Amino acid sequence: MLSYFSAELGIIACLLILIGIITKIVGQFRYEKLKGFIRGTIELHNEKIIVNENEYLIEEIKKIEVYGGDYKGKWISKHKTDFGNALSNGVENAIKIVMENEKETVIINFLQTEKREIKKAEKQLINYHKMGKIHWLKLIEILDINDYDEIQKFKSTIR
């Protein structure tokens, strides 16, 4: 009787482990759930940033910070015991606009469907840097320029 019970318990334990492994593997190919919904647009222009119907003139902005490292399909590094979905939905990006009067700060989250999609706005980002709105180190981080020689070449082209 006891050995029969032990055998059943062993089978159940093996099945539970197998179900856990299958769940973990399936989660590696699924996108995390979107908390909310995606709406609106962001337009980066040389002289202004338009968010939906709101227009922010660059001359009235004190500082712009861009966090654009997330993209749709990016593998999310999780603990090995986490059974959640492992692919990012690409919405953990933000543009923070601090106005000159410092009374208004606007944070806009945005979606990137491909890695470093923000680089498509390189011309505008360089212009914002030249106007003193984006710090040099943040600019090269946004544009994903890491190599010393590339940084020096880029520096000479924008001056």
Side-chain angles (χ1 to χ4, degrees):
M1 175 83 171
L2 187 58
S3 92
Y4 179 73
F5 180 71
S6 297
E8 282 184 346
L9 191 58
I11 290 170
I12 291 172
C14 288
L15 286 174
L16 288 175
I17 290 172
L18 186 61
I19 289 170
I21 291 170
I22 291 170
T23 303
K24 181 71 173 175
I25 291 171
V26 168
Q28 297 299 306
F29 301 101
R30 297 185 69 187
Y31 290 96
E32 66 183 337
K33 293 187 192 290
L34 187 62
K35 299 170 189 113
F37 53 94
I38 299 171
R39 64 180 163 95
T41 59
I42 302 171
E43 297 176 31
L44 302 179
H45 299 273
N46 283 334
E47 66 285 343
K48 61 187 169 186
I49 297 175
I50 301 173
V51 180
N52 298 324
E53 297 84 35
N54 300 324
E55 193 172 287
Y56 302 96
L57 298 176
I58 298 302
E59 61 194 32
E60 296 175 359
I61 295 174
K62 179 178 182 177
K63 179 170 71 170
I64 301 170
E65 295 178 12
V66 180
Y67 308 96
D70 192 23
Y71 57 93
K72 189 172 181 105
K74 178 181 178 184
W75 191 74
I76 303 168
S77 178
K78 293 185 176 182
H79 194 272
K80 59 185 166 186
T81 58
D82 185 359
F83 290 91
N85 301 339
L87 298 177
S88 174
N89 54 28
V91 296
E92 295 296 324
N93 304 294
I95 295 178
K96 180 179 178 182
I97 300 171
V98 179
M99 302 306 287
E100 278 293 342
N101 63 15
E102 294 188 16
K103 292 180 181 176
E104 184 181 4
T105 298
V106 181
I107 299 174
I108 307 114
N109 290 80
F110 63 94
L111 166 71
Q112 287 193 107
T113 56
E114 56 191 58
K115 188 174 184 178
R116 296 290 181 193
E117 190 174 0
I118 190 75
K119 287 178 75 169
K120 291 179 181 177
E122 181 175 349
K123 180 181 165 190
Q124 290 83 5
L125 295 169
I126 290 170
N127 185 55
Y128 301 160
H129 166 69
K130 287 180 178 179
M131 296 176 76
K133 309 303 179 179
I134 295 179
H135 190 275
W136 168 251
L137 294 176
K138 283 308 245 175
L139 178 65
I140 61 173
E141 179 184 324
I142 295 164
L143 298 177
D144 197 27
I145 303 172
N146 302 316
D147 182 66
Y148 178 79
D149 293 330
E150 286 181 43
I151 292 171
Q152 296 310 313
K153 183 179 175 184
F154 178 67
K155 186 187 258 186
S156 68
T157 62
I158 67 167
R159 300 223 184 252

